[in-house]
Amino acid sequence: MQLPTPVFDANASAGGGKDLGDLPEWDLTDLYASPDAPELKRDMDWLEEACEKFAADYEGKLADLTAEEMLDCVLRHETIDMVTGRIMSFAGLRYYQQTTDPERAKFLSDCQDKITTYSTPLVFFSLELNRIPDEKLDALFEANADLARYKPIFDRLRLMRPHQLSDELERFLHDQSVVGATAWNKLFDEWIAGLEFTVDGEVHGIEGTLNYLTEQDRSKREAAARELARVFAENLGLFARVHNTLAKEKEIEDRWRNMPTPQYGRHLANQVEPEVVEALRDAVVKAYPKLSHRYYELKRKWLGLDTLQVWDRNAPLPMEEQRTVDWPTARGMVMDAYSGFDPKMAELAEPFFDKGWIDAAVKPGKAPGAFAHPTVTDVHPYVMLNYLGKPRDVMTLAHELGHGVHQRLAAGQGELLSSTPLTLAETASVFGEMLTFRKLLDEAKDDAEKKVLLAGKVEDMINTVVRQIAFYDFECKLHDARARGELTPDDINALWMSVQAESLGPAFEFMDGYETFWAYIPHFVHSPFYVYAYAFGDGLVNALYAVYQEGDPGFQEKYFEMLKAGGSKHHKELLAPFGLDATDSAFWDKGLSMISGMIDELEAMEA
């Protein structure tokens, strides 16, 4: 059992400012009251016994079960997953609140070790299921409608059938995981959280330092960028070791599993065809000139510069008012946008603010970025932010609440079917951002404010689509190169730079030291090839929002039904009610044309 993988979102960034109001903190008591709570010990003891009994009852017998017996087996497995998820969610969320706290790190590791040991007897389950002939399983589904509801789980497991190892090797990989990728992930998290950067005589963590890159004062942006480069360079050996080890570990396991490409396992997990991802990737790369290249040329002119430096990429526009959005205002902005779409959406989001489901403040040792973690289906999600009041932080709030609403709706599917593939997991979050943006745009008091809002949205979409596809290309190159041998820090730097100029365009120059900026991106460490899910989600939502704007009858109801489906349906089935199909190459062009259209509007304002 892995600790909950945080979904560190693409545009999450801390803002600046004080007097933000009463920022909420997590109340984790809905999971457990404390690390020494008797309920936690009870659940841990139950889990050990339940795993042993499950194996005793079912190992070597799955092929002979009746439909009713198979249903009981699946339900017992689901309960084990629920208890495991509750424990690891509690341990993981406590850890992310303060990754530098040795006690929290130890507690997480101890939980991880125990659950890995307890769950080893369960490894047989998927292996045996995949040895049952398709026709026999199909007959069980036909015989019992309650069992048939779980067919998507069986289908997902069977995707791995060609890549399944021997029972003994699968058990070894399961046991070894706590000192493999999981351990390297923790090292990365703790190291990043412990880094210190000095800007203008003040010491900051990585969140506060990245925040300076969105300051009006260009000298502060430059100072922060150079300080980031200095500290990354000092720690580059460790980051290179983390990436070398994880990429090699993945290459070894992929080779044993006969995975055709390093990306293939992610595609299987996302239930998306490799050709769909490549169609998305190719469409975005082809669109670089009409998207990022064109926009950044506009921004270069607005800033009055001959060339843009990397510290200008997320700079505010000269006409943009320096503004700090306090927490109550941010809450009101997002909730108004949600309720304007449908009051039900606001009702689902409301408890996050009032019941301790959000941890918003920037604190020493806290994990950087933002995420929404669904925990287990009989509790509720938790949202983590690093909120310091920039307008972009409001969009991050809208984004994470979208995840939270999606996770609450999908919880009705139960523990095994609620988890949404990454390609669709970004749908509600990006849609929530779009609703908030459109409401603010409609309420803009003049063309200058509209221009700032449009430019900000275009930048976010470029960060979500162009930047993430460039990240995907970097990862593809990294894993391909690592398969041929150890990579020095300079090797990885060169791979990083090979995608930057292509994606950002000729308006940019790149300072010495920018070549190290791959080092702090958590996605490369936690979830290899995750990043294309952002571009997938943004393109999907742009196409979906176009259908909404066209006045599609019953859109809201169909939208909620899509979110409720969780992981129970394929993306083709989920998008069909909206007349959309991600396997159609024109689908991606439709999504990208929305970004291009916004840049058209910005160019027209210059005329």
Side-chain angles (χ1 to χ4, degrees), residues 373-440:
H373 176 58
T375 70
V376 287
T377 53
D378 66 347
V379 185
H380 55 76
Y382 284 91
V383 163
M384 193 193 85
L385 305 171
N386 277 279
Y387 188 88
L388 282 170
K390 283 278 179 71
R392 187 163 280 167
D393 295 340
V394 179
M395 292 300 169
T396 301
L397 171 61
H399 184 107
E400 299 308 336
L401 278 181
H403 278 305
V405 166
H406 193 173
Q407 290 160 356
R408 291 196 71 195
L409 286 167
Q413 293 290 341
E415 195 66 23
L416 293 179
L417 286 167
S418 62
S419 180
T420 307
L422 291 182
T423 43
L424 292 169
E426 294 299 326
T427 304
S429 53
V430 179
F431 197 84
E433 276 191 83
M434 183 65 79
L435 290 173
T436 305
F437 163 71
R438 289 292 179 183
K439 182 168 181 59
L440 294 176

Coordinates of all heavy atoms in Angstrom, one line a residue, residues 373-440:
H373 N -6.9 15.3 -1.8 CA -6.8 13.9 -1.6 C -8.2 13.3 -1.2 O -8.8 13.8 -0.2 CB -5.8 13.6 -0.5 CG -5.6 12.1 -0.2 ND1 -5.3 11.2 -1.1 CD2 -5.8 11.5 1.0 CE1 -5.3 10.0 -0.5 NE2 -5.6 10.2 0.8
P374 N -8.7 12.3 -1.9 CA -10.0 11.8 -1.6 C -10.2 11.0 -0.3 O -11.3 10.7 0.1 CB -10.3 10.9 -2.8 CG -9.0 10.5 -3.3 CD -8.0 11.6 -3.0
T375 N -9.1 10.6 0.3 CA -9.1 9.7 1.5 C -9.9 8.4 1.1 O -9.5 7.7 0.2 CB -9.6 10.3 2.8 OG1 -11.0 10.6 2.7 CG2 -8.8 11.6 3.1
V376 N -11.0 8.1 1.8 CA -11.8 6.9 1.6 C -13.2 7.4 1.4 O -13.6 8.4 1.9 CB -11.6 5.9 2.7 CG1 -10.3 5.2 2.6 CG2 -11.8 6.5 4.1
T377 N -14.0 6.5 0.8 CA -15.4 6.9 0.4 C -16.3 7.1 1.5 O -17.4 7.7 1.3 CB -15.9 6.0 -0.7 OG1 -15.9 4.6 -0.2 CG2 -15.1 6.0 -2.0
D378 N -16.0 6.6 2.7 CA -16.9 6.8 3.8 C -16.5 8.0 4.7 O -17.0 8.2 5.8 CB -17.1 5.5 4.7 CG -15.9 5.1 5.4 OD1 -14.8 5.6 5.0 OD2 -16.0 4.2 6.3
V379 N -15.5 8.7 4.2 CA -15.1 10.0 5.0 C -15.3 11.1 4.0 O -16.5 11.4 3.6 CB -13.6 9.9 5.5 CG1 -13.3 11.1 6.3 CG2 -13.4 8.6 6.3
H380 N -14.3 11.8 3.5 CA -14.4 12.9 2.6 C -13.0 13.3 2.2 O -12.0 13.0 2.8 CB -15.1 14.1 3.3 CG -14.5 14.6 4.6 ND1 -13.3 15.3 4.6 CD2 -14.8 14.4 5.9 CE1 -12.9 15.6 5.8 NE2 -13.8 15.0 6.6
P381 N -12.9 14.1 1.1 CA -11.6 14.6 0.7 C -11.1 15.7 1.6 O -11.8 16.3 2.3 CB -11.9 15.2 -0.7 CG -13.3 14.7 -1.1 CD -14.0 14.5 0.2
Y382 N -9.8 15.9 1.5 CA -9.1 17.0 2.1 C -8.3 17.7 1.0 O -7.7 17.1 0.1 CB -8.1 16.5 3.2 CG -8.7 16.1 4.5 CD1 -9.1 14.8 4.7 CD2 -9.0 17.0 5.5 CE1 -9.7 14.4 5.9 CE2 -9.5 16.6 6.7 CZ -9.9 15.3 6.9 OH -10.5 14.9 8.1
V383 N -8.3 19.1 1.1 CA -7.6 19.9 0.2 C -6.5 20.6 0.8 O -6.6 21.2 1.9 CB -8.6 21.0 -0.4 CG1 -7.9 22.2 -1.1 CG2 -9.6 20.4 -1.4
M384 N -5.3 20.6 0.2 CA -4.1 21.3 0.7 C -3.8 22.5 -0.3 O -3.8 22.3 -1.5 CB -2.9 20.4 0.8 CG -1.8 21.1 1.6 SD -0.2 20.3 1.5 CE 0.4 21.0 0.0
L385 N -3.6 23.7 0.3 CA -3.2 24.8 -0.4 C -2.0 25.4 0.2 O -1.7 25.1 1.4 CB -4.3 25.9 -0.5 CG -5.7 25.5 -1.0 CD1 -6.7 26.6 -0.7 CD2 -5.6 25.2 -2.5
N386 N -1.3 26.3 -0.5 CA -0.3 27.2 0.1 C -0.8 28.6 -0.2 O -0.3 29.2 -1.2 CB 1.1 26.9 -0.3 CG 1.7 25.8 0.4 OD1 2.3 26.0 1.5 ND2 1.7 24.6 -0.2
Y387 N -1.8 29.1 0.5 CA -2.5 30.3 0.1 C -1.9 31.6 0.7 O -1.8 31.7 2.0 CB -4.0 30.2 0.5 CG -4.8 31.4 -0.1 CD1 -5.4 31.2 -1.3 CD2 -5.0 32.6 0.6 CE1 -6.1 32.3 -1.9 CE2 -5.7 33.6 0.1 CZ -6.3 33.4 -1.1 OH -7.0 34.5 -1.7
L388 N -1.5 32.5 -0.1 CA -1.0 33.8 0.4 C -1.6 35.0 -0.4 O -1.0 36.1 -0.4 CB 0.6 33.8 0.3 CG 1.3 33.1 1.4 CD1 2.8 33.0 1.1 CD2 1.1 33.8 2.8
G389 N -2.7 34.8 -1.1 CA -3.5 35.9 -1.5 C -3.3 36.5 -2.9 O -3.9 37.5 -3.2
K390 N -2.5 35.8 -3.8 CA -2.5 36.3 -5.2 C -3.7 35.9 -5.9 O -4.3 34.9 -5.6 CB -1.3 35.7 -5.9 CG 0.1 36.3 -5.5 CD 0.3 37.6 -6.3 CE 1.6 38.3 -6.0 NZ 2.8 37.5 -6.5
P391 N -4.2 36.7 -6.9 CA -5.4 36.3 -7.7 C -5.2 34.9 -8.2 O -6.2 34.1 -8.3 CB -5.4 37.3 -8.8 CG -4.8 38.6 -8.2 CD -3.7 38.0 -7.3
R392 N -4.0 34.5 -8.6 CA -3.8 33.1 -9.2 C -4.1 32.1 -8.1 O -4.5 30.9 -8.4 CB -2.4 33.0 -9.7 CG -2.1 31.7 -10.4 CD -0.8 31.8 -11.2 NE -1.1 32.4 -12.5 CZ -0.1 32.9 -13.3 NH1 1.2 32.7 -12.9 NH2 -0.4 33.4 -14.4
D393 N -3.9 32.4 -6.8 CA -4.2 31.5 -5.7 C -5.7 31.2 -5.7 O -6.1 30.2 -5.2 CB -3.7 32.0 -4.4 CG -2.2 32.1 -4.3 OD1 -1.5 31.4 -5.1 OD2 -1.7 32.9 -3.5
V394 N -6.5 32.2 -6.0 CA -8.0 32.0 -6.1 C -8.3 31.0 -7.1 O -9.2 30.1 -6.9 CB -8.7 33.4 -6.4 CG1 -10.2 33.1 -6.5 CG2 -8.3 34.4 -5.4
M395 N -7.6 31.0 -8.2 CA -7.8 30.0 -9.2 C -7.4 28.6 -8.7 O -8.0 27.6 -9.1 CB -7.1 30.3 -10.5 CG -7.6 31.5 -11.2 SD -9.4 31.3 -11.7 CE -9.8 32.9 -12.2
T396 N -6.3 28.5 -8.0 CA -5.9 27.3 -7.4 C -7.0 26.7 -6.4 O -7.3 25.5 -6.4 CB -4.6 27.4 -6.6 OG1 -3.6 27.9 -7.5 CG2 -4.1 26.1 -6.0
L397 N -7.6 27.6 -5.6 CA -8.7 27.2 -4.8 C -9.8 26.7 -5.6 O -10.4 25.6 -5.2 CB -9.1 28.4 -3.9 CG -10.4 28.3 -3.1 CD1 -10.3 27.1 -2.1 CD2 -10.8 29.6 -2.4
A398 N -10.2 27.4 -6.7 CA -11.3 26.9 -7.5 C -11.0 25.5 -8.1 O -11.8 24.7 -8.2 CB -11.6 27.9 -8.6
H399 N -9.7 25.4 -8.5 CA -9.2 24.1 -9.0 C -9.4 22.9 -8.0 O -9.9 21.9 -8.3 CB -7.8 24.3 -9.5 CG -7.2 23.1 -10.2 ND1 -6.9 23.1 -11.5 CD2 -6.8 21.9 -9.7 CE1 -6.4 21.9 -11.9 NE2 -6.3 21.2 -10.8
E400 N -8.8 23.2 -6.8 CA -8.8 22.1 -5.9 C -10.2 21.8 -5.4 O -10.5 20.6 -5.1 CB -7.9 22.5 -4.7 CG -6.4 22.7 -5.0 CD -5.8 21.5 -5.8 OE1 -6.3 20.4 -5.8 OE2 -4.9 21.8 -6.6
L401 N -11.0 22.8 -5.2 CA -12.4 22.5 -4.9 C -13.1 21.7 -5.9 O -14.0 20.8 -5.6 CB -13.2 23.8 -4.6 CG -13.0 24.5 -3.2 CD1 -13.9 25.7 -3.2 CD2 -13.4 23.5 -2.1
G402 N -12.8 21.9 -7.2 CA -13.3 21.1 -8.3 C -13.0 19.6 -8.1 O -13.8 18.7 -8.2
H403 N -11.7 19.4 -7.7 CA -11.3 18.0 -7.4 C -12.2 17.5 -6.2 O -12.6 16.3 -6.3 CB -9.8 18.0 -6.9 CG -8.9 17.9 -8.1 ND1 -8.9 17.0 -9.0 CD2 -7.8 18.7 -8.3 CE1 -7.8 17.2 -9.9 NE2 -7.2 18.2 -9.4
G404 N -12.3 18.3 -5.2 CA -13.1 17.9 -4.0 C -14.5 17.5 -4.3 O -15.0 16.5 -3.9
V405 N -15.2 18.4 -5.1 CA -16.5 18.1 -5.5 C -16.6 16.8 -6.3 O -17.5 16.0 -6.1 CB -17.1 19.3 -6.4 CG1 -18.4 18.9 -7.1 CG2 -17.3 20.5 -5.5
H406 N -15.7 16.6 -7.3 CA -15.6 15.4 -8.1 C -15.5 14.2 -7.2 O -16.2 13.2 -7.3 CB -14.5 15.5 -9.0 CG -14.5 14.5 -10.1 ND1 -13.6 14.5 -11.2 CD2 -15.2 13.4 -10.3 CE1 -13.8 13.5 -12.0 NE2 -14.8 12.8 -11.5
Q407 N -14.6 14.3 -6.2 CA -14.3 13.1 -5.3 C -15.5 12.8 -4.5 O -15.8 11.6 -4.2 CB -13.0 13.4 -4.5 CG -11.8 13.4 -5.3 CD -10.6 14.1 -4.7 OE1 -10.8 14.7 -3.6 NE2 -9.4 14.1 -5.3
R408 N -16.2 13.8 -4.0 CA -17.4 13.6 -3.2 C -18.5 12.9 -4.0 O -19.2 12.0 -3.6 CB -18.0 14.9 -2.6 CG -17.1 15.6 -1.6 CD -17.9 16.6 -0.8 NE -18.9 16.0 0.1 CZ -19.9 16.7 0.6 NH1 -20.1 18.0 0.4 NH2 -20.8 16.1 1.4
L409 N -18.7 13.3 -5.3 CA -19.7 12.7 -6.1 C -19.3 11.3 -6.5 O -20.2 10.4 -6.5 CB -19.9 13.6 -7.4 CG -20.6 14.9 -7.2 CD1 -20.5 15.8 -8.4 CD2 -22.1 14.7 -6.9
A410 N -18.1 11.1 -6.8 CA -17.6 9.7 -7.2 C -17.6 8.7 -6.0 O -17.7 7.5 -6.2 CB -16.2 9.8 -7.8
A411 N -17.6 9.2 -4.8 CA -17.6 8.4 -3.6 C -18.8 7.4 -3.6 O -18.7 6.3 -3.0 CB -17.6 9.2 -2.3
G412 N -19.9 7.8 -4.2 CA -21.0 6.9 -4.3 C -20.8 5.6 -5.0 O -21.6 4.6 -4.8
Q413 N -19.7 5.5 -5.8 CA -19.4 4.3 -6.5 C -18.8 3.2 -5.5 O -18.6 2.1 -5.9 CB -18.4 4.6 -7.6 CG -19.0 5.4 -8.7 CD -20.0 4.6 -9.6 OE1 -20.0 3.4 -9.5 NE2 -20.8 5.4 -10.3
G414 N -18.3 3.7 -4.3 CA -17.7 2.7 -3.5 C -16.2 2.8 -3.7 O -15.6 3.3 -4.6
E415 N -15.4 2.1 -2.7 CA -14.0 2.3 -2.7 C -13.3 1.8 -4.0 O -12.3 2.4 -4.4 CB -13.4 1.5 -1.5 CG -12.0 1.9 -1.1 CD -11.9 3.3 -0.6 OE1 -12.9 3.9 -0.1 OE2 -10.8 3.8 -0.7
L416 N -13.7 0.7 -4.6 CA -13.0 0.2 -5.7 C -13.3 0.9 -7.0 O -12.5 0.9 -7.9 CB -13.4 -1.3 -5.9 CG -12.9 -2.2 -4.8 CD1 -13.3 -3.7 -5.0 CD2 -11.4 -2.2 -4.6
L417 N -14.5 1.5 -7.1 CA -14.9 2.1 -8.4 C -14.8 3.7 -8.4 O -15.1 4.3 -9.4 CB -16.3 1.7 -8.8 CG -16.4 0.2 -9.3 CD1 -17.9 -0.2 -9.3 CD2 -15.8 0.1 -10.6
S418 N -14.5 4.3 -7.2 CA -14.6 5.7 -7.1 C -13.4 6.4 -7.8 O -13.5 7.6 -8.2 CB -14.7 6.2 -5.7 OG -13.5 5.8 -5.0
S419 N -12.3 5.8 -7.8 CA -11.0 6.5 -8.3 C -11.1 6.7 -9.8 O -11.3 5.8 -10.6 CB -9.8 5.6 -8.0 OG -8.6 6.2 -8.4
T420 N -10.9 8.0 -10.2 CA -11.0 8.4 -11.6 C -9.7 8.3 -12.2 O -8.7 8.8 -11.6 CB -11.6 9.8 -11.6 OG1 -12.8 9.9 -10.9 CG2 -11.9 10.2 -13.1
P421 N -9.5 7.8 -13.4 CA -8.3 7.8 -14.1 C -7.7 9.3 -14.2 O -8.5 10.2 -14.3 CB -8.6 7.3 -15.5 CG -9.8 6.5 -15.3 CD -10.6 7.2 -14.2
L422 N -6.4 9.5 -14.2 CA -5.8 10.8 -14.2 C -6.3 11.7 -15.3 O -6.4 12.9 -15.2 CB -4.3 10.7 -14.2 CG -3.7 10.1 -12.9 CD1 -2.2 10.1 -13.1 CD2 -4.1 10.9 -11.7
T423 N -6.5 11.1 -16.5 CA -6.9 11.9 -17.7 C -8.3 12.5 -17.5 O -8.6 13.6 -18.0 CB -7.0 11.0 -18.9 OG1 -7.6 9.7 -18.5 CG2 -5.6 10.7 -19.5
L424 N -9.1 11.9 -16.6 CA -10.5 12.5 -16.3 C -10.5 13.1 -14.9 O -11.4 13.9 -14.6 CB -11.5 11.4 -16.5 CG -11.8 10.9 -17.9 CD1 -12.7 9.7 -17.9 CD2 -12.4 12.0 -18.7
A425 N -9.5 12.9 -14.1 CA -9.4 13.4 -12.8 C -9.3 14.9 -12.8 O -9.7 15.6 -11.8 CB -8.3 12.8 -12.0
E426 N -8.8 15.5 -13.9 CA -8.6 17.0 -13.9 C -9.9 17.7 -14.5 O -9.9 18.9 -14.6 CB -7.4 17.3 -14.8 CG -6.1 16.9 -14.2 CD -5.8 17.5 -12.9 OE1 -6.1 18.7 -12.7 OE2 -5.2 16.9 -12.0
T427 N -10.9 16.9 -14.9 CA -12.1 17.5 -15.5 C -12.7 18.5 -14.6 O -12.9 19.7 -15.0 CB -13.1 16.4 -15.9 OG1 -12.4 15.5 -16.8 CG2 -14.2 17.0 -16.7
A428 N -13.2 18.1 -13.4 CA -13.9 19.0 -12.6 C -13.1 20.1 -12.0 O -13.6 21.2 -11.8 CB -14.5 18.2 -11.4
S429 N -11.8 19.9 -11.8 CA -10.9 20.9 -11.3 C -10.7 22.1 -12.3 O -10.9 23.3 -12.0 CB -9.6 20.4 -10.9 OG -9.0 19.6 -12.0
V430 N -10.4 21.7 -13.6 CA -10.2 22.7 -14.6 C -11.6 23.4 -14.9 O -11.6 24.6 -15.2 CB -9.6 22.1 -15.9 CG1 -9.4 23.1 -17.0 CG2 -8.3 21.4 -15.5
F431 N -12.7 22.6 -14.9 CA -14.0 23.2 -15.1 C -14.3 24.3 -14.0 O -14.9 25.3 -14.3 CB -15.0 22.1 -15.2 CG -16.3 22.6 -15.8 CD1 -16.5 22.5 -17.1 CD2 -17.4 23.0 -15.0 CE1 -17.7 22.9 -17.7 CE2 -18.6 23.4 -15.5 CZ -18.8 23.4 -16.9
G432 N -14.0 23.9 -12.8 CA -14.2 24.9 -11.7 C -13.4 26.2 -11.9 O -13.9 27.3 -11.6
E433 N -12.1 26.0 -12.3 CA -11.4 27.2 -12.7 C -12.0 28.0 -13.8 O -12.1 29.3 -13.7 CB -10.0 26.8 -13.2 CG -8.9 26.5 -12.1 CD -7.6 26.4 -12.7 OE1 -6.9 27.4 -13.0 OE2 -7.1 25.2 -13.0
M434 N -12.5 27.3 -14.8 CA -13.1 28.0 -15.9 C -14.4 28.8 -15.5 O -14.6 29.9 -15.9 CB -13.5 27.1 -17.0 CG -14.0 27.7 -18.3 SD -12.8 28.8 -19.1 CE -11.9 27.6 -20.0
L435 N -15.2 28.2 -14.6 CA -16.4 28.9 -14.1 C -16.0 30.1 -13.4 O -16.6 31.2 -13.6 CB -17.2 27.9 -13.2 CG -17.9 26.7 -13.8 CD1 -18.4 25.8 -12.7 CD2 -19.0 27.2 -14.8
T436 N -15.0 30.0 -12.5 CA -14.5 31.2 -11.8 C -14.0 32.3 -12.7 O -14.3 33.5 -12.5 CB -13.5 30.8 -10.7 OG1 -14.0 29.7 -9.9 CG2 -13.1 31.9 -9.8
F437 N -13.2 31.9 -13.6 CA -12.6 32.9 -14.6 C -13.7 33.6 -15.4 O -13.7 34.8 -15.5 CB -11.7 32.2 -15.5 CG -11.4 33.0 -16.8 CD1 -10.6 34.1 -16.7 CD2 -11.9 32.6 -18.0 CE1 -10.3 34.9 -17.9 CE2 -11.6 33.3 -19.2 CZ -10.9 34.5 -19.1
R438 N -14.7 32.8 -15.9 CA -15.7 33.4 -16.7 C -16.6 34.4 -15.9 O -17.0 35.4 -16.4 CB -16.6 32.3 -17.3 CG -15.9 31.5 -18.4 CD -15.7 32.4 -19.6 NE -15.0 31.6 -20.7 CZ -14.6 32.1 -21.9 NH1 -14.8 33.4 -22.1 NH2 -14.0 31.4 -22.7
K439 N -16.8 34.1 -14.6 CA -17.6 35.0 -13.8 C -16.9 36.3 -13.6 O -17.4 37.4 -13.7 CB -18.0 34.3 -12.5 CG -18.8 35.2 -11.6 CD -19.4 34.5 -10.4 CE -20.3 35.4 -9.5 NZ -21.4 36.0 -10.3
L440 N -15.6 36.2 -13.3 CA -14.8 37.4 -13.1 C -14.7 38.2 -14.4 O -14.8 39.4 -14.4 CB -13.4 37.0 -12.7 CG -13.2 36.3 -11.3 CD1 -11.8 35.9 -11.0 CD2 -13.7 37.3 -10.2

